[in-house]
Amino acid sequence: HYYVRGTPLPVDPDARAHAAATRIQCVARGRGARAFVITNINRLVAERNLGEKIKVLRAMTDFAWRLAPGNPRHARREATAALFEAIKHIKADDEEFLAQAVGESELGANLLHLAKAEIDDSNSKSSALCLATLTNLASAGASFQLASQGALSVLVDAIMSDDPPTVYYATACLQNVISEPAVLDSFALMAQLAETPVEARLQALAAVNNAHMVAVAKGALANLRQSPQRIQMAAATAIQAHARGVRQRLRSVDIAAEELRRRAREHGVDLPTAAGDAGAPRQAGAP
C-alpha cells in the first residue's frame, strides 16, 4: 500500500504483533547495551581517557609552538588569549592531562618567557593576560611543572612591579603555585623565594585598601609560611640567634670578671680566673 496524503492507511491485522515484537527488541537491546557497558566499563573508561589525553596533549603542544620565542610578539599574545579561553573549557577530569602536557612540552617555559618580556617592557595588559593564564594553569594542577620551569623568579619580579594588574595576577599565581605540596616540600624551589624580599612585599600588599588584593596576598603569605623548609630555617635562625646571645653574654661576663680582677690587683689582691687557681683570694706577692 502507498500512503496518499489525506487517506488513512489500511489497518494491518499484524500491526499489534509487530509493535509488541519491536518493543521486546528495544528492551533487549537496552539490556544488552547495559550489560556490555558493565562488562567493559574499565576498558571504555581507559579508551575515553586516552582519547581525551591525546586531545589535550595535541592542543597544548600546538599552543607551545605558537608561543615559541621565535614567533612575532603579537602572534604570541594572540596564542596566550586563545590558551586562556581553552583552559576555561577543560573539564576537571582532564586537568591531569593538562598538567602532564605542561610538563612534557615547552608550553610553560614559552609562556613564562613571554610574561617576563611583557613585565620588563611594562606592558600592563599583556602582562596581566600572561599571568592570569599562568594562574589558571597552576589552578589546573600544573603548579610544580611551572615552578620547575622558572615561574617563581618571574612571579617575584612581577610582584615587585608598580603596575597594579601585574602585581595582582602575579600574587594570585604565586598563591596557587605554592599551594602545591610538591613545591612547598622542595627546598631548592622554596629557597628561590627565601632569597628575595617577597614576604615583606606580600605583607605590605595584605594591608592595602583593596579587598581582592588583600585576599590573594594573605593567601600567598599563608602558603609561604607553611613551607617545611621555611619552618626549619626559622627554627635554625632562632637557635643561631640564641647561641649568639649566649656567647655575647659569656663575653660580657668575662669582661666584667677581668675588670673585677684588675681592680682587685690595684688593691693588692689576686683573684683566681675561672680556669685558674681555686681557693681564697691572696695578697699580691704572697707565697
Side-chain angles (χ1 to χ4, degrees):
H1 302 284
Y2 297 98
Y3 174 71
V4 178
R5 186 179 296 275
T7 302
L9 290 173
V11 177
D12 186 344
D14 297 327
R16 290 187 178 181
H18 293 329
T22 300
R23 285 194 296 273
I24 292 172
Q25 291 170 356
C26 288
V27 171
R29 283 196 297 271
R31 289 175 178 172
R34 289 192 291 274
F36 174 82
V37 170
I38 293 171
T39 304
N40 298 275
I41 185 65
N42 292 333
R43 180 175 64 82
L44 293 173
V45 170
E47 290 178 354
R48 179 262 178 196
N49 289 342
L50 179 60
E52 292 298 325
K53 177 180 179 180
I54 292 173
K55 180 180 176 181
V56 173
L57 288 174
R58 184 177 298 166
M60 294 304 112
T61 301
D62 179 65
F63 279 120
W65 180 82
R66 293 170 61 184
L67 285 164
N71 294 327
R73 182 76 68 88
H74 68 87
R76 299 173 72 192
R77 290 169 179 164
E78 292 174 357
T80 303
L83 174 60
F84 180 82
E85 293 298 323
I87 295 172
K88 293 195 299 185
H89 298 291
I90 291 182
K91 301 175 183 177
D93 293 340
D94 299 334
E95 288 182 349
E96 62 177 300
F97 306 140
L98 175 61
Q100 184 177 352
V102 174
E104 295 180 358
S105 71
E106 297 296 320
L107 176 63
N110 291 347
L111 182 55
L112 287 166
H113 182 278
L114 176 61
K116 186 177 187 310
E118 300 292 7
I119 294 166
D120 291 343
D121 293 344
S122 300
N123 190 326
S124 177
K125 183 177 180 180
S126 185
S127 296
L129 175 61
C130 291
L131 293 167
T133 306
L134 288 166
T135 301
N136 290 347
L137 283 174
S139 179
S143 295
F144 183 76
Q145 291 84 344
L146 292 173
S148 300
Q149 294 171 1
L152 295 178
S153 61
V154 174
L155 294 176
V156 169
D157 290 342
I159 290 173
M160 298 300 172
S161 168
D162 294 328
D163 179 59
T166 298
V167 175
Y168 172 77
Y169 286 108
T171 305
C173 189
L174 181 65
Q175 177 187 8
N176 283 358
V177 170
I178 62 176
S179 68
E180 170 60 44
V183 176
L184 287 173
D185 292 339
S186 171
F187 184 86
L189 291 176
M190 295 307 296
Q192 297 177 24
L193 297 178
E195 298 169 356
T196 70
V198 68
E199 184 172 357
R201 174 65 164 163
L202 290 173
Q203 288 177 333
L205 294 173
V208 300
N209 188 24
N210 183 309
H212 298 290
M213 185 72 255
V214 168
V216 294
K218 286 184 175 180
L221 268 176
N223 291 340
L224 180 63
R225 288 170 175 169
Q226 69 178 353
S227 165
Q229 282 72 23
R230 184 185 184 280
I231 295 172
Q232 293 172 8
M233 291 172 66
T237 301
I239 292 171
Q240 291 171 354
H242 178 71
R244 285 194 297 271
V246 170
R247 287 195 296 269
Q248 183 62 39
R249 288 191 291 274
L250 289 174
R251 283 195 294 269
S252 298
V253 170
D254 289 341
I255 293 172
E258 182 59 32
E259 177 64 17
L260 180 60
R261 284 192 290 271
R262 185 187 65 79
R263 294 185 179 182
R265 284 195 297 270
E266 292 176 353
H267 292 83
V269 178
D270 284 338
L271 295 178
T273 62
D277 300 331
R282 61 186 181 184
Q283 296 293 328

